[in-house]
């Protein structure tokens, strides 16, 4: 492979700019441009030791640090040299050009991590964890990306593949010795396929939770007009985002904003108040509100504490949704109220129990998590591969007596291959290229 080079820090001026090279010629190329008083030549550099020296170009000299990571004990599994320079845009681009001039080639997006995958340093799912950490926008998604990068999912999938390999090998052996092994293999296969099915089913069921961790939990604010939905959104955000007036039907479009609470990203959507209206624009807003309610993960059903008639056509819409009833305007009443799991009494005006609503949302999301050894599926690609693997296994489990061993083997091998799409053992080049195209340069 060629020796590649890229700027690994974001574009723009900063305190430090890092330039990374990887490949068999990384050390020799670095020695052509970098010198340090500690060494006669940088080719003699000790691995994992940072040297202070100068990069000598035709038109400038840069004082910087250089560090050498020796193969295979490096991020890519190849020789790597990194320069830590001053973070000027012109400066680091000039150094990049200098290294290219001396034999390095510009790296593609994600090519360093792709080489780590090719060289067996990381499984494909681990690599996806890297980009998830880079793109994380909440503490929960950051931690999920870290667990993925650390290989937690890969270990579980490899264990499942090993179990499948054992079952497949026994079925293949029974083809050669049907009379001696058929009954024993059938009993073994049924028991172990049940275990494999259960393990995959747990991972599949964790995707709902994992998606919310990655993308944020979608929470719709709904209710009649003038119950305080927009005021509640503003209270969550600690700023005046939505217009609040005494005029019914103020909110007509969907307003979407997000906050982070206890590490979880919560995406709120403020919707139009539900009522019968002759206003065409408001009617459109009400239909959008109903659609948003259906697509949300959790619904905050906001109720006016002073409203004696709390009936609403929303009751039918909310039947199959996870709902928290939020009774607003308790500052106008003398009664004492006690919060429950389903109902929280608040005052947007006086900011009473606002955090309790946020706490309850986090509790609902966390309680919906299926225990899978602490792991949850956060990527749709992994979810789809697991679903397909489960389908193949279920065909054999449910129709075992109707199938001959050749069909059983075909389905189980399909399941093995689908699991391999996650780790990368059976992923096609198109899939691999598509994954790494999402990376930034220098990673």
């Amino acid at each position: 492979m060629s020796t590649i080079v890229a700027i690994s820090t974001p574009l723009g001026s900063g305190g430090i700019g890092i330039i990374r090279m990887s490949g068999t010629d990384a050390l020799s190329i670095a020695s052509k441009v970098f010198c340090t008083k500690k060494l006669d030549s940088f080719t003699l550099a000790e691995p994992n030791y940072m040297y202070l020296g100068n990069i000598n170009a035709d038109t400038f000299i840069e004082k910087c640090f250089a560090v050498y990571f020796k193969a295979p004990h490096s991020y890519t599994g190849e020789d790597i040299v990194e320069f830590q320079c001053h973070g000027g845009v012109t400066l680091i681009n000039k150094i990049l050009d200098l290294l290219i001039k001396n034999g390095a080639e510009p790296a593609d997006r994600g090519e360093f991590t792709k080489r780590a995958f090719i060289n067996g340093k990381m499984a494909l799912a681990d690599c996806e964890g890297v980009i998830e950490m880079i793109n994380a926008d909440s503490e929960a998604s950051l931690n999920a990306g870290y667990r993925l990068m650390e290989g937690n999912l890969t270990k579980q999938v490899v264990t499942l593949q090993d179990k499948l390999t054992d079952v497949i090998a026994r079925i293949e052996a029974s083809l050669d010795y049907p009379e001696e092994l058929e009954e024993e293999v059938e009993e073994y296969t049924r028991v172990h396929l049940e275990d494999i099915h259960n393990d995959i089913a747990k991972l599949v069921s964790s995707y709902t939770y994992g998606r919310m961790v990655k993308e944020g939990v979608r929470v719709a604010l709904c209710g009649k007009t003038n119950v305080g939905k927009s005021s509640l959104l503003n209270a969550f955000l600690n700023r005046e985002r939505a217009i609040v007036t005494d005029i019914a039907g103020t909110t007509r479009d969907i307003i979407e904003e997000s906050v982070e609470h206890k590490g979880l990203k919560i995406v709120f959507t403020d919707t139009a108040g539900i009522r019968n209206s002759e206003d065409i624009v408001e009617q459109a807003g009400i239909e959008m509100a109903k659609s948003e309610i259906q697509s949300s993960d959790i619904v905050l059903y906001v109720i006016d504490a002073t409203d004696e008639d709390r009936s609403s056509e929303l009751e039918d819409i909310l039947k199959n949704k996870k709902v928290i009833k939020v009774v607003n305007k308790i500052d106008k009443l003398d009664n004492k109220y006690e919060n429950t799991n389903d109902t929280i009494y608040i005052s947007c005006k006086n900011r009473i129990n606002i955090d309790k609503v946020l706490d309850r949302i986090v509790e609902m999301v966390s309680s919906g998590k299926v225990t899978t050894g602490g792991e949850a599926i956060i990527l749709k690609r992994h979810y789809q591969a697991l679903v397909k693997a489960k389908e193949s296994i279920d065909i054999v489990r449910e129709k075992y007596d109707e199938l001959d061993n050749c069909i059983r083997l075909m389905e189980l091998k399909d399941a093995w291959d689908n699991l391999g799409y996650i780790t990368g053992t059976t992923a096609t080049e198109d899939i691999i290229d598509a994954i790494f195209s999402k990376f930034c340069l220098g990673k």
Side-chain angles (χ1 to χ4, degrees):
M1 284 189 179
S2 60
T3 297
I4 55 173
V5 64
I7 300 168
S8 290
T9 41
L11 292 178
S13 298
I16 297 174
I18 297 177
I19 301 167
R20 172 186 284 176
M21 275 195 302
S22 179
T24 53
D25 296 328
L27 199 57
S28 62
I29 293 172
S31 68
K32 294 177 183 178
V33 302
F34 178 81
C35 62
T36 174
K37 293 179 180 179
K38 288 186 173 291
L39 301 170
D40 293 333
S41 169
F42 194 65
T43 56
L44 304 173
E46 180 182 342
N48 309 318
Y49 185 90
M50 188 168 283
Y51 293 89
L52 176 64
N54 292 327
I55 289 179
N56 296 293
D58 294 335
T59 56
F60 68 92
I61 296 176
E62 159 67 347
K63 180 172 283 189
C64 65
F65 289 102
V67 59
Y68 165 52
F69 301 100
K70 183 176 176 60
H73 306 294
S74 71
Y75 181 76
T76 61
E78 304 172 334
D79 279 356
I80 286 181
V81 174
E82 287 186 359
F83 295 104
Q84 294 191 11
C85 312
H86 294 95
V89 175
T90 301
L91 175 63
I92 57 176
N93 274 293
K94 288 289 185 181
I95 295 172
L96 178 68
D97 292 341
L98 181 65
L99 294 170
I100 292 172
K101 181 180 177 181
N102 280 275
E105 294 184 8
D108 291 330
R109 286 178 173 270
E111 191 170 357
F112 292 94
T113 307
K114 185 176 182 179
R115 290 193 177 197
F117 165 67
I118 292 170
N119 293 326
K121 301 292 289 185
M122 305 174 77
L124 193 57
D126 306 353
C127 296
E128 289 172 289
V130 174
I131 195 63
E132 289 303 311
M133 286 198 70
I134 292 172
N135 293 334
D137 57 4
S138 71
E139 184 180 329
S141 59
L142 180 64
N143 288 332
Y146 176 77
R147 290 194 298 272
L148 187 60
M149 184 186 71
E150 284 293 282
N152 290 9
L153 177 60
T154 295
K155 291 171 186 174
Q156 291 188 54
V157 171
V158 168
T159 298
L160 288 168
Q161 284 184 299
D162 289 343
K163 290 179 179 179
L164 270 175
T165 298
D166 187 37
V167 171
I168 290 168
R170 287 172 184 265
I171 294 175
E172 288 177 335
S174 72
L175 293 174
D176 296 328
Y177 305 98
E179 294 180 2
E180 296 89 339
L181 296 177
E182 186 172 358
E183 186 175 335
E184 177 187 334
V185 168
E186 179 180 342
E187 182 180 355
Y188 184 91
T189 299
R190 287 182 184 275
V191 171
H192 283 74
L193 285 186
E194 196 67 29
D195 289 341
I196 294 169
H197 159 84
N198 290 338
D199 289 342
I200 294 179
K202 286 179 181 178
L203 286 170
V204 168
S205 66
S206 74
Y207 178 62
T208 299
Y209 171 81
R211 178 189 59 77
M212 288 189 282
V213 166
K214 172 180 163 56
E215 300 173 3
V217 54
R218 296 193 66 83
V219 178
L221 282 68
C222 73
K224 294 182 180 179
T225 58
N226 274 14
V227 293
K229 300 183 297 298
S230 297
S231 296
L232 182 55
L233 176 66
N234 291 340
F236 287 142
L237 300 176
N238 280 316
R239 62 186 175 89
E240 299 298 312
R241 170 63 177 87
I243 297 172
V244 177
T245 72
D246 292 330
I247 302 171
T250 304
T251 303
R252 298 188 173 194
D253 206 346
I254 301 294
I255 299 175
E256 181 174 301
E257 290 288 345
S258 64
V259 299
E260 183 176 339
H261 186 69
K262 294 187 175 178
L264 179 69
K265 180 181 178 182
I266 305 172
V267 182
F268 289 108
T269 52
D270 183 18
T271 65
I274 305 299
R275 66 170 181 169
N276 294 321
S277 173
E278 300 299 323
D279 188 309
I280 295 176
V281 178
E282 188 177 356
Q283 286 176 2
I286 291 169
E287 290 306 310
M288 289 175 65
K290 291 178 179 179
S291 176
E292 187 62 35
I293 290 167
Q294 291 300 328
S295 63
S296 65
D297 300 307
I298 296 173
V299 176
L300 296 186
Y301 181 21
V302 185
I303 301 167
D304 186 339
T306 65
D307 186 1
E308 295 181 1
D309 178 17
R310 296 184 180 181
S311 62
S312 170
E313 63 180 271
L314 275 171
E315 301 290 346
D316 289 334
I317 301 174
L318 300 178
K319 277 182 180 177
N320 298 317
K321 302 297 295 184
K322 291 183 177 179
V323 178
I324 303 172
K325 288 185 178 180
V326 180
V327 183
N328 186 29
K329 305 182 184 180
I330 61 172
D331 53 283
K332 296 184 177 182
L333 303 176
D334 297 327
N335 308 52
K336 295 292 183 181
Y337 297 98
E338 186 175 344
N339 296 324
T340 66
N341 284 338
D342 299 325
T343 306
I344 299 176
Y345 294 87
I346 71 165
S347 168
C348 292
K349 180 180 178 181
N350 296 335
R351 293 197 58 83
I352 299 172
N353 290 339
I354 300 301
D355 281 348
K356 289 189 183 300
V357 179
L358 295 172
D359 289 343
R360 182 62 188 133
I361 292 170
V362 174
E363 288 169 9
M364 287 184 72
V365 173
S366 299
S367 64
K369 179 182 177 182
V370 177
T371 302
T372 56
E375 209 53 49
I377 301 303
I378 63 173
L379 297 181
K380 188 175 183 179
R381 188 182 79 83
H382 299 166
Y383 169 75
Q384 291 173 331
L386 287 163
V387 167
K388 289 179 180 178
K390 181 177 172 293
E391 287 172 351
S392 294
I393 288 168
D394 286 346
I395 288 173
V396 181
R397 285 176 59 249
E398 296 166 6
K399 299 181 179 180
Y400 192 92
D401 294 331
E402 303 172 29
L403 306 175
D404 62 32
N405 276 334
C406 290
I407 301 298
R408 293 168 189 157
L409 284 171
M410 181 185 71
E411 293 294 345
L412 295 180
K413 287 178 179 178
D414 280 348
W416 195 97
D417 286 345
N418 277 299
L419 292 174
Y421 291 150
I422 297 173
T423 61
T425 52
T426 57
T428 64
E429 190 172 339
D430 287 343
I431 291 174
I432 293 169
D433 288 343
I435 289 170
F436 288 107
S437 68
K438 299 174 184 176
F439 279 59
C440 52
L441 284 171
K443 192 57 183 173

